[in-house]
Amino acid sequence: MSVPASDTPLRGHLGYWLRLVSNHVSQSFARALATRDIGVADWVILRMLHEGGPAMPSRLAADLGMTRGGLSKLADRLMARGLIVKTGATADKRRQLLALTDAGSRLIPDLTALADANDAAFFGDLPAADRQVMERVLTGIAGRHHLTTVPSD
């Protein structure tokens, strides 16, 4: 059985509008972070460690939907900058944790301010009720589709 052809125009799809807005919000935030020589994935890792404390690299990789190798490259870059450190290092590499350094912790408020400013630039003019509806709709979609991977790019 074939699916009938649709005459829905491109702009008639909610996905089009969601992607349009999402791309612009994300690109604006990436440009703001770049002024601090931080990438979006770097920010996400730093923020996750700030919120949840030290974490196993495998857990971070799973939460981000990344390979362990991909996370390892990001972690190496953040360690080289002195923003995170491996803790609990033993001969058993499965027991190592990634944690924020003092320098990484001090950077969080500045990066959070960039995230807040980016949100304000795109969503600050929304009435509170519209913002709440938008959040409820998006979190509802994410929940129904079991979307749990943390966006990092």
Side-chain angles (χ1 to χ4, degrees), residues 30-70:
R31 285 190 301 273
L33 288 173
T35 66
R36 308 302 194 276
D37 196 26
I38 295 288
V40 173
D42 300 331
W43 154 250
V44 171
I45 291 169
L46 294 171
R47 190 64 205 200
M48 289 174 73
L49 293 173
H50 173 74
E51 292 175 11
M56 292 179 61
S58 59
R59 177 77 258 161
L60 287 173
D63 288 348
L64 292 165
M66 300 178 79
T67 64
R68 289 181 187 180

Side-chain angles (χ1 to χ4, degrees), residues 29-135:
F29 186 48
R31 285 190 301 273
L33 288 173
T35 66
R36 308 302 194 276
D37 196 26
I38 295 288
V40 173
D42 300 331
W43 154 250
V44 171
I45 291 169
L46 294 171
R47 190 64 205 200
M48 289 174 73
L49 293 173
H50 173 74
E51 292 175 11
M56 292 179 61
S58 59
R59 177 77 258 161
L60 287 173
D63 288 348
L64 292 165
M66 300 178 79
T67 64
R68 289 181 187 180
L71 180 76
S72 180
K73 287 179 184 179
L74 289 171
D76 287 347
R77 185 171 66 225
L78 292 169
M79 284 188 282
R81 293 196 50 203
L83 300 176
I84 66 171
V85 65
K86 282 185 182 173
T87 65
T90 65
D92 183 358
K93 290 188 176 194
R94 294 172 296 175
R95 297 283 181 210
Q96 293 181 337
L97 300 173
L98 296 177
L100 287 176
T101 62
D102 288 342
S105 292
R106 285 191 304 272
L107 188 58
I108 294 295
D110 181 43
L111 299 179
T112 300
L114 293 176
D116 292 345
N118 196 62
D119 262 20
F122 282 92
F123 309 113
D125 62 343
L126 289 176
D130 288 355
R131 188 179 173 105
Q132 290 169 350
V133 167
M134 188 173 184
E135 185 175 344

